[in-house]
Amino acid sequence: MTDATATTFRTWMCVVCGFIYKEADGLPEEGIAPGTAWEDVPDTWTCPDCGVTKDDFEMVEID
């Protein structure tokens, strides 16, 4: 039997500078593989544009 449940990727935005993190895309240049859930991004990671921590990101709906 196969798992027919599709993975839902979320998008997170830095509330300081507007940088977007898409779980589906990851950030390979930062060592974060495509498909990496926000919860699995290291707590020590900082926004590549402004340097704030994950605490300053909010989940957003982007079409």
Side-chain angles (χ1 to χ4, degrees):
M1 179 166 28
T2 60
D3 183 6
T5 304
T7 301
T8 301
F9 292 112
R10 297 167 297 169
T11 302
W12 298 81
M13 183 180 72
C14 176
V15 298
V16 175
C17 74
F19 178 83
I20 299 292
Y21 173 75
K22 295 180 179 179
E23 292 178 341
D25 298 341
L27 287 171
E29 65 278 7
E30 299 271 329
I32 301 170
T36 301
W38 184 246
E39 295 80 17
D40 296 329
V41 173
D43 289 334
T44 56
W45 180 83
T46 57
C47 177
D49 285 354
C50 72
V52 299
T53 65
K54 285 176 58 179
D55 291 337
D56 289 308
F57 278 72
E58 292 183 354
M59 190 173 63
V60 293
E61 297 291 330
I62 295 180
D63 294 325

